[in-house]
Amino acid sequence: MDADSDVALDILITNVVCVFRTRCHLNLRKIALEGANVIYKRDVGKVLMKLRKPRITATIWSSGKVICTGATSEEEAKFGARRLARSLQKLGFQVIFTDFKVVNVLAVCNMPFEIRLPEFTKNNRPHASYEPELHPAVCYRLKTLRATLQIFSTGSITVTG
Amino acid sequence: EVAYSQSTGQKEQLSRCLQRGIRRVQDLCKVLQLPTVFEETAVSYLQRALRHPSFHLVSLEKKELLGGCCVFVTCRQHNWPLTMGTICSLLYAKQEMFAGVYLSLQKELELSVPALSLADLVKTHLNSFRLFQHAADVPAPFVEDKEKMVARTMQIVELASETWLVTGRHPVPIVTAAAFLSWQSLRPAARLTCTLARFCKAAGVDLPPPAHLRLRELLQILLRMASQLAWLRVFKMDKKTVVKHIGDLLQHRIFLLKNAFCLEEEEEQRAAAPGERSPGSPPAAGGAAQEEGSPSGGKRRREGGPGPLLPPCLTNPRKRLRTAALSASDLAVTGDEPISDSEIEQYLRGPEEVRAFRKAKAW
């Protein structure tokens, strides 16, 4: 790729993971009984609740900790988390929406060229690590940004962090 | 005779875990017939690892694997071709757990581990084949000269590397498929009817499942190269007949691959609409990044003509590439919008529904 050529790259956020706390104990059995779109995993002590809009999945623990995944932006993640907290309030719990934090954002980007991974790894040590026996992509760690890039030979790059 | 370490109590100063780990490392080095310097390096890594806080509280099972990981890292640093599969089978360990311990070790000790050299792996892997000497369970036509087979397998593996068949893939299936093709091509009359599975059985090696796919991909590349070779154009080539000509194809490999590229580049430029630019240099076979003529066109097959040489996952995509853009309503979300009761009601069951559900679940 020429250094002068400006090719617009679309970076698409595919997943935003956030957490919040309800500051009260949650009765998982009651949530499983009275909530719709709910899966009760009794063996691991958690409940999965899915919302349609925004399309997120929440993992709810009896301690009041909730993890929401599936949103495509931070704002959407917050909106979904609030909706979920409101649903729990409607079920009768004394929920206070606190400690909301976005903990992970996953984005995907496609380069307009293929990448030869062995050569790329050789030229980018020690940040790049490539183990084809384990995973088909190069793992490139950016310590300063606390982000990890998975670089595939097709030019697809997944950024998490 | 009393060993110095016994009389001075040196071994008692080491923890039991470390003693066990050192014994495991020494046994592995003996089985793999590694030089003494490898053992010393692996033991030093093991001592560093067990002193590291990250490995203090791991399970005993993981500590058992640490020794194997240290040997594996040492071999890779000395370009000694050793695969994870071999080490896992020696340790009777699951590859997922071994991988986890290995990656932690690499990260915590900040070890630089060079990539596995395919050329060395070819030689080591072929050493385990039982086709180079006459034996009771190996038919006479199957016996082959080792040096010839190694040389031809290396060439086929290099071809695979240049044509996107190696990047991102497990190395052993590629080497197995390349060995099979090279073995067939050296005496095609007697060996064309032999399948890959039978070949592996005769050679006394395992058949890794992806080897069939790698074989198919290699044959596709060879068929495309054969179409560029002047004296083969008159013949109708298929995956059986092309094997007979592998020698010629490999001999003119660079020319044939370059020819295939140039042909497709010219056709793309001729087929491009007037006024449409297609910047980009002719792609090189061994460069670090492969550039295509246009950002989106490079990955799409042109209709009616041969496609560019791309990784197989691009020519036969199993997943649809994500191109969905955010809609206007998505962009307008701030996270602090008011939430009406009616929106929440859809996520709650009504009293009758709760009764019916409780009855069905019998809680």
Side-chain angles (χ1 to χ4, degrees):
Chain A
M1 201 176 191
D2 293 335
D4 297 335
S5 67
D6 270 336
V7 177
L9 294 173
D10 281 332
I11 299 177
L12 195 68
I13 295 177
T14 54
N15 194 16
V16 174
V17 181
C18 64
V19 297
F20 70 92
R21 288 195 182 271
T22 58
R23 287 284 174 97
C24 69
H25 180 265
L26 298 172
N27 185 335
L28 299 184
R29 190 170 171 274
K30 184 177 160 103
I31 297 172
L33 203 58
E34 296 176 23
N37 300 343
V38 166
I39 302 169
Y40 185 17
K41 297 213 178 248
R42 222 187 291 187
D43 47 341
V44 289
K46 64 185 183 191
V47 155
L48 300 177
M49 187 164 179
K50 294 184 190 251
L51 303 188
R52 269 181 232 110
K53 198 173 180 296
R55 200 180 283 272
I56 64 165
T57 302
T59 307
I60 305 166
W61 277 272
S62 57
S63 62
K65 184 171 179 181
V66 182
I67 297 181
C68 298
T69 59
T72 53
S73 69
E74 292 179 50
E75 293 79 17
E76 201 176 85
K78 188 172 184 184
F79 183 50
R82 285 179 53 237
R83 260 199 161 174
L84 188 81
R86 189 68 181 277
S87 306
L88 294 174
Q89 269 179 347
K90 281 278 180 183
L91 284 172
F93 299 104
Q94 303 297 315
V95 168
I96 303 171
F97 183 75
T98 56
D99 298 340
F100 173 80
K101 194 167 76 163
V102 172
V103 292
N104 197 15
V105 177
L106 196 141
V108 171
C109 174
N110 279 313
M111 292 291 133
F113 46 79
E114 293 76 41
I115 302 167
R116 291 199 185 267
L117 302 182
E119 285 86 351
F120 177 86
T121 312
K122 215 189 292 184
N123 295 336
N124 288 279
R125 285 190 189 277
H127 303 287
S129 154
Y130 175 49
E131 296 290 340
E133 294 178 88
L134 298 180
H135 191 56
V138 167
C139 180
Y140 191 99
R141 288 187 199 274
L142 290 165
K143 279 194 182 155
T144 47
L145 296 175
R146 285 194 290 178
T148 304
L149 285 79
Q150 300 277 342
I151 302 166
F152 292 84
S153 60
T154 56
S156 174
I157 297 177
T158 306
V159 187
T160 50
Chain B
E1 274 187 20
V2 176
Y4 177 78
S5 58
Q6 279 179 315
S7 63
T8 52
Q10 269 186 353
K11 279 207 179 131
E12 277 73 29
Q13 292 168 16
L14 302 172
S15 68
R16 218 178 292 174
C17 188
L18 183 55
Q19 283 181 36
R20 213 169 25 232
I22 292 174
R23 262 200 308 275
R24 179 62 67 101
V25 166
Q26 288 168 343
D27 292 341
L28 280 171
C29 292
K30 266 194 206 115
V31 166
L32 295 167
Q33 296 176 348
L34 301 175
T36 322
V37 67
F38 283 36
E39 187 184 310
E40 289 163 7
T41 314
V43 167
S44 74
Y45 284 152
L46 180 67
Q47 286 171 330
R48 273 176 63 191
L50 287 174
R51 275 199 297 266
H52 199 281
S54 314
F55 295 105
H56 281 167
L57 298 175
V58 298
S59 63
L60 279 176
E61 199 181 353
K62 286 189 177 172
K63 282 185 181 169
E64 294 267 321
L65 298 182
L66 259 183
C69 291
C70 294
V71 171
F72 181 72
V73 166
T74 309
C75 288
R76 285 274 288 270
Q77 287 178 336
H78 289 86
N79 291 324
W80 189 278
L82 180 68
T83 61
M84 271 191 205
T86 307
I87 274 279
C88 287
S89 64
L90 289 174
L91 295 172
Y92 298 100
K94 286 184 202 160
Q95 187 151 349
E96 294 81 23
M97 189 170 279
F98 180 87
V101 177
Y102 164 68
L103 292 171
S104 305
L105 178 76
Q106 197 183 358
K107 187 183 160 195
E108 300 299 343
L109 299 192
E110 291 176 7
L111 300 172
S112 169
V113 183
L116 180 65
S117 161
L118 264 185
D120 294 334
L121 180 64
V122 166
K123 288 179 203 158
T124 317
H125 193 57
L126 261 56
N127 276 341
S128 57
F129 281 44
R130 292 187 296 119
L131 293 171
F132 307 121
Q133 282 172 1
H134 290 276
D137 52 346
V138 178
F142 281 22
V143 178
E144 188 51 70
D145 177 62
K146 187 177 176 184
E147 280 183 26
K148 278 189 198 166
M149 191 159 151
V150 168
R152 187 157 282 193
T153 306
M154 256 330 183
Q155 287 182 311
I156 295 177
V157 167
E158 278 171 18
L159 172 69
S161 181
E162 286 161 16
T163 53
W164 296 103
L165 300 185
V166 167
T167 302
R169 266 92 174 270
H170 204 290
V172 171
I174 297 163
V175 174
T176 307
F180 173 64
L181 280 177
S182 75
W183 172 80
Q184 270 193 329
S185 66
L186 288 168
R187 260 180 89 173
R191 298 170 185 171
L192 266 184
T193 51
C194 179
T195 60
L196 179 60
R198 195 175 162 216
F199 164 76
C200 290
K201 198 173 169 189
V205 294
D206 292 330
L207 171 60
H212 283 286
L213 295 167
R214 299 296 95 83
L215 179 65
R216 201 188 314 159
E217 286 163 1
L218 274 169
L219 285 169
Q220 279 171 359
I221 294 292
L222 289 167
L223 281 169
R224 284 171 66 175
M225 286 167 68
S227 69
Q228 303 298 319
L229 206 51
W231 59 87
L232 292 182
R233 279 195 198 141
V234 295
F235 298 112
K236 196 178 171 193
M237 289 278 137
D238 61 22
K239 59 182 186 178
K240 289 274 187 199
T241 50
V242 76
V243 174
K244 297 180 202 168
H245 306 283
I246 282 181
D248 287 340
L249 295 174
L250 290 174
Q251 196 178 355
H252 305 285
R253 177 179 97 225
I254 297 169
F255 168 76
L256 292 174
L257 284 177
K258 227 188 260 187
N259 219 22
F261 265 117
C262 289
L263 190 70
E264 282 149 10
E265 273 285 315
E266 280 173 16
E267 281 188 18
E268 276 193 36
Q269 283 172 12
R270 265 188 261 123
E276 202 180 281
R277 273 189 67 230
S278 55
S281 53
Q290 187 81 2
E291 187 185 344
E292 293 299 333
S294 60
S296 55
K299 293 186 182 179
R300 276 185 272 113
R301 277 189 79 120
R302 270 194 325 105
E303 286 173 16
L309 200 60
L310 293 171
C313 54
L314 281 181
T315 51
N316 301 315
R318 281 155 75 180
K319 273 203 297 194
R320 195 171 39 90
L321 289 174
R322 290 193 195 96
T323 50
L326 286 169
S327 63
S329 57
D330 291 338
L331 287 167
V333 172
T334 60
D336 295 313
E337 287 88 347
I339 301 169
S340 63
D341 281 351
S342 57
E343 290 174 34
I344 302 302
E345 294 297 326
Q346 61 183 309
Y347 295 114
L348 305 176
R349 290 196 172 109
E352 280 183 19
E353 218 180 321
V354 170
R355 268 196 296 272
F357 187 73
R358 199 197 292 261
K359 203 173 166 186
K361 281 281 180 181
W363 281 352

